[in-house]
Structures are given as C-alpha cells and as structure tokens.
Amino acid sequence: VGSEMCIRDSALVAHLLPEVEPLHKVSIVPRGMALGVTMQLPERDRYHMSRKQVLGNLQLLYGGRIAEEKFCGDITSGASNDIERATELARRMVCEWGMSDEIGPIKYTENEETLFLGREVTKSRDHSEALAVRIDEEVRNVLDQSYEAAEHIVNEHSDAIERIAMALM
C-alpha cells in the first residue's frame, strides 16, 4: 500500500502543475531500489529552467513524502532520493542560478580540490560563514515553501488521489 500512496501523490502533483514536464508513465511495480515510479518526459529539449519550473519540480519531489504522512500516518526512507534531489535543486537555485530575492543574483559555490598523492579533498568557500548561514536559511525557506505548496495540493485533491490509487492497484 505504501508505494501506491507515494506514486499516486506524485502523479497528481505532476498533473496539476503546468510548469513541470508532463507525465509519461506511472507504475507501482517495484524496479530495483524503487518501489514504483512516476516518470516524466520532456515535451522538447530544455536548455534552462525558469524559477516557476524549479519550484514546480520541488513540489513534485515532495509528493511522495507528503503521501506517506497523510495516507500512511508515518514516514519511511522511501523518499530519501527525492529529498536529496530537492535539496540539491534548491541549493543550485539559490547559490548558482541567482533565483533568490534574499541572496541575490550572485554565484556562491564551494570549490573542491582534487585528491592528489595522498592529500585529502578540501573545500574552500568564496564567502563568509555568516553568508553561508544565510544561504542555508534561504535554501530551507525555499524547501519549506515548496513542501507547504505541495501539501496544499494534496489536501485539496485527496479524493482524486484515492481514485488514482485504486486505478493503480
């Protein structure tokens, strides 16, 4: 029951958000480490993403976790990859693409030195610790807002989610 809950929620969020790629396939059949899949295919080649598209994708990534909470009454590690991808996407939005009003249109990334002859990999920042804290807060803010927006969609359309689950089973 858990996988169809997560999949149906992601499918509904994908269907209701016009800024994300359209659904191609929805399955609750386990494949490898995944208990099911919501697959999207691009309508055309994309060379960049708008802020609306990034926010829509963040909402989509949180769909499975929200389904677990709402319909199963508990959460599992099943959404770990989605959470990882959402966090990475939000950080890129804030630090690389200048899509944060709070942080501004400046690229803030950490530089990694390569491993060479026994030296350890080191990271250096081109910004202060205080700014790093602000960046973390902004990434968290973007993720929280996306989670809340996805949660609103799920709560508003829970009857449709039940119908999707029945069709998948």
Side-chain angles (χ1 to χ4, degrees):
V1 173
S3 67
E4 56 270 358
M5 296 293 185
C6 299
I7 299 303
R8 70 183 177 183
D9 196 26
S10 295
L12 177 79
V13 173
H15 176 71
L16 292 174
L17 293 172
E19 55 272 7
V20 300
E21 299 292 352
L23 285 171
H24 172 70
K25 180 179 183 178
V26 178
S27 174
I28 58 172
V29 176
R31 299 216 192 309
M33 297 290 288
L35 296 176
V37 67
T38 299
M39 186 183 291
Q40 300 165 273
L41 285 179
E43 293 178 304
R44 62 186 183 283
D45 288 340
R46 290 206 189 273
Y47 301 102
H48 63 277
M49 281 195 293
S50 71
R51 187 170 195 268
K52 284 183 179 181
Q53 289 169 323
V54 174
L55 293 173
N57 281 310
L58 290 172
Q59 292 173 39
L60 176 64
L61 287 167
Y62 279 130
R65 170 52 64 93
I66 293 167
E68 286 180 337
E69 284 182 302
K70 181 168 179 66
F71 297 102
C72 299
D74 197 4
I75 56 175
T76 70
S77 61
S80 65
N81 183 257
D82 292 336
I83 292 169
E84 178 183 344
R85 289 172 44 211
T87 304
E88 179 183 329
L89 189 57
R91 187 160 297 280
R92 292 183 76 190
M93 179 183 176
V94 171
C95 295
E96 293 180 34
W97 301 331
M99 292 182 175
S100 164
D101 294 334
E102 175 68 27
I103 301 300
I106 299 172
K107 184 173 182 174
Y108 297 108
T109 57
E110 293 182 350
N111 300 320
E112 288 189 28
E113 293 187 21
T114 59
L115 188 62
F116 179 72
L117 297 177
R119 281 185 36 201
E120 299 211 11
V121 174
T122 59
K123 289 186 178 184
S124 63
R125 280 196 301 243
D126 295 332
H127 54 273
S128 69
E129 185 64 32
L131 182 57
V133 169
R134 284 183 53 211
I135 288 170
D136 289 343
E137 288 171 353
E138 181 64 3
V139 169
R140 178 63 189 233
N141 186 40
V142 167
L143 292 172
D144 287 347
Q145 288 177 4
S146 297
Y147 192 95
E148 289 171 14
E151 196 170 39
H152 176 74
I153 291 171
V154 171
N155 289 333
E156 189 174 319
H157 299 280
S158 60
D159 57 330
I161 293 171
E162 293 293 340
R163 290 192 305 272
I164 292 169
M166 295 307 294
L168 287 171
M169 291 194 293

